[in-house]
Amino acid sequence: MYEFTSSFWNWYIIVPTVIGILAMFWLIRWLSVGQKRKPGEQVETMGHVWDGDLEEYNNPLPRWWLNLFYITLFFGIGYLVLYPGLGTFKGLLGWTSRGNYEQEMQQAKEKYGPIFEQYRNKPAAVLADSEDATKIGERLFSNYCATCHGADARGVPGFPNLRDSEWLYGESAEKIHETIAEGRQGMMPAWKETLSEKQIFDVAEYVRQLSGRSADPIVASRGKQIYQQNCAACHGPDGDGNQQMGAPRLTNNVWLYGGSQKQIIKSIRDGRQGRMPPHGEFLGDAKIHLLVGYILSISENAENEPGTGTAE
């Protein structure tokens, strides 16, 4: 639980904290006792005068004000006795942030778990057609997926658009469930150590030609030869991609990192490292199943809608 590498850091926290509390007690005591005036003694001023008549007197703090300080200090002492705050001392109540988190998660599981479980054994296609199920799935998506894929699921550069018909690893409910549960680790190797800048430019022109974009035919012809030697193993001889490897299809107009000449060259030269973290242990099968139903519902209803993740 604790990450202190030696007892020094434990005492580094305890000693200044205890000394600070004792120093505050002494200061309050000094303010309340050390400055008491004798009967008839003239009150001194601090030498500060405003508007010629208004002076600041050196009076001690009111008793009620000092008592508020005492209350604050005793509250702090009580807190440090009951809860962790003094180095590795756990406090008499044994409270921990992890324990509190796990308790709240267990309460939430007991309260909301049955709601998710009732959809667990229903086919994903049925959930995609269920208004109640898709509403729950949409809320789950907003909480756990929208940060990367966007609130509307149309993606952002580097994170796929989930509303189009392109799937790097497969569009079946089983593959989508696998992706969410186990995550994905995409890898486009960098070719800057293998290919020259001219060769990278030639390949980029050929890739643009594959997607139906205007490209210099002579340059693209040179790029095709380089492509067949270095790129076809992953993306396929015709650029149709490989779902087993997560290699995208290059013959369409969908671009995860942008389809401009500059972005294509950057992808070839520097490579890409895309990662989808696993959510299986965190979400559980029931929630993932609802997410799959929601994703199927929005992808089936979309007709090749352009997403942010496919922009130039």
Side-chain angles (χ1 to χ4, degrees):
M1 170 181 276
Y2 299 102
E3 298 180 356
F4 293 127
T5 56
S6 71
S7 60
F8 167 79
W9 297 109
N10 182 44
W11 291 106
Y12 179 80
I13 295 174
I14 294 175
V15 173
T17 302
V18 173
I19 290 177
I21 292 175
L22 294 177
M24 291 300 101
F25 272 110
W26 173 84
L27 178 62
I28 296 173
R29 181 68 177 170
W30 175 73
L31 290 173
S32 60
V33 176
Q35 295 187 17
K36 282 186 176 181
R37 300 192 310 274
K38 297 178 181 180
E41 184 179 354
Q42 185 68 25
V43 180
E44 298 179 355
T45 64
M46 301 296 293
H48 302 152
V49 182
W50 293 270
D51 298 332
D53 299 322
L54 186 61
E55 295 183 87
E56 180 182 359
Y57 287 91
N58 188 22
N59 284 314
L61 292 174
R63 173 63 59 180
W64 65 268
W65 199 337
L66 291 171
N67 288 338
L68 288 177
F69 284 122
Y70 279 121
I71 292 173
T72 302
L73 287 173
F74 281 117
F75 175 85
I77 293 173
Y79 180 91
L80 293 174
V81 170
L82 297 175
Y83 295 94
L86 292 175
T88 57
F89 177 62
K90 298 180 180 180
L92 298 181
L93 296 181
W95 183 93
T96 63
S97 58
R98 178 180 292 275
N100 188 68
Y101 167 78
E102 292 176 349
Q103 180 182 2
E104 291 182 355
M105 290 299 293
Q106 182 61 33
Q107 292 174 350
K109 183 178 180 180
E110 293 174 357
K111 182 176 181 180
Y112 301 108
I115 299 176
F116 303 129
E117 289 294 333
Q118 65 180 316
Y119 297 101
R120 184 174 184 176
N121 296 322
K122 295 182 179 180
V126 174
L127 299 186
D129 292 331
S130 169
E131 183 178 356
D132 291 337
T134 53
K135 283 183 177 179
I136 297 175
E138 183 178 13
R139 288 192 289 268
L140 290 172
F141 184 91
S142 297
N143 287 331
Y144 302 115
C145 313
T147 301
C148 294
H149 293 283
D152 58 359
R154 287 185 171 86
V156 295
F159 300 94
N161 174 14
L162 303 180
R163 288 183 175 268
D164 61 21
S165 59
E166 294 296 320
W167 297 87
L168 286 177
Y169 298 93
E171 67 277 9
S172 67
E174 292 75 16
K175 281 296 182 181
I176 298 174
H177 190 287
E178 179 184 301
T179 298
I180 300 174
E182 301 177 13
R184 299 291 185 184
Q185 180 65 61
M187 187 190 73
M188 163 71 180
W191 291 91
K192 58 186 175 183
E193 301 296 334
T194 305
L195 303 177
S196 66
E197 286 295 318
K198 179 178 180 298
Q199 289 175 313
I200 291 174
F201 179 81
D202 292 349
V203 174
E205 281 295 284
Y206 176 64
V207 170
R208 286 173 58 82
Q209 186 183 74
L210 281 176
S211 63
R213 302 191 174 199
S214 59
D216 187 316
I218 298 177
V219 176
S221 177
R222 294 197 305 262
K224 180 178 181 179
Q225 297 178 17
I226 302 170
Y227 174 92
Q228 296 297 334
Q229 295 171 1
N230 299 280
C231 313
C234 293
H235 294 282
D238 300 321
D240 292 329
N242 188 328
Q243 289 188 342
Q244 296 298 321
M245 303 178 65
R249 185 156 62 101
L250 304 178
T251 56
N252 57 20
N253 196 31
V254 177
W255 302 89
L256 188 58
Y257 295 94
S260 67
Q261 186 182 70
K262 179 180 179 181
Q263 290 296 337
I264 296 174
I265 290 175
K266 178 175 176 58
S267 294
I268 299 171
R269 180 198 297 123
D270 301 327
R272 299 290 187 180
Q273 300 290 330
R275 181 174 182 269
M276 162 74 179
H279 287 73
E281 184 177 350
F282 177 69
L283 291 178
D285 285 339
K287 290 181 181 178
I288 292 177
H289 193 52
L290 282 162
L291 278 170
V292 172
Y294 171 69
I295 292 172
L296 286 176
S297 73
I298 60 176
S299 63
E300 289 172 351
N301 295 331
E303 298 179 357
N304 299 325
E305 298 182 41
T308 306
T310 68
E312 287 290 327

